[in-house]
Amino acid sequence: MVREITVDENYQTVRLFDAMKKGDIYKVPYDKKRHNGIKLEASRRNRDLRLIGILKNKMDVKYRVSATEYPGFSAIICLK
């Protein structure tokens, strides 16, 4: 499900990742600082999933972040 997220006083990146299910795509308005924060959170979550054994190797990811898939948005994609 593709969902567009509005950034207001209730926006928290961590909450977005907690609410995602398999196949979800969240579009967040692009801002360089925000995009870097989203990329860091995705890499943290992927690393933690590797440490507990859900993801098997470094190429295996659950969360992917793209700035080019939807121009003007940072796309957060939940693969698994």
Side-chain angles (χ1 to χ4, degrees):
M1 171 180 83
V2 178
R3 207 169 119 194
E4 190 168 327
I5 305 298
T6 58
V7 177
D8 57 2
E9 65 275 352
N10 295 326
Y11 170 82
Q12 287 183 351
T13 304
V14 176
R15 232 187 274 165
L16 286 180
F17 281 91
D18 290 339
M20 291 186 87
K21 296 181 179 83
K22 179 181 179 179
D24 283 350
I25 299 174
Y26 286 177
K27 297 187 326 183
V28 181
Y30 182 82
D31 178 51
K32 187 170 180 153
K33 288 181 182 180
R34 187 181 309 122
H35 182 74
N36 288 335
I38 291 170
K39 283 193 327 188
L40 283 172
E41 183 63 26
S43 66
R44 267 188 224 115
R45 296 222 177 204
N46 287 329
R47 181 199 65 210
D48 292 345
L49 291 171
R50 280 187 207 100
L51 289 174
I52 61 174
I54 294 174
L55 299 177
K56 300 302 179 194
N57 57 23
K58 189 167 176 130
M59 295 298 289
D60 196 13
V61 294
K62 181 174 182 177
Y63 299 103
R64 178 161 288 151
V65 179
S66 172
T68 59
E69 181 120 10
Y70 298 97
F73 292 97
S74 295
I76 307 168
I77 304 163
C78 183
L79 299 173
K80 297 183 179 187

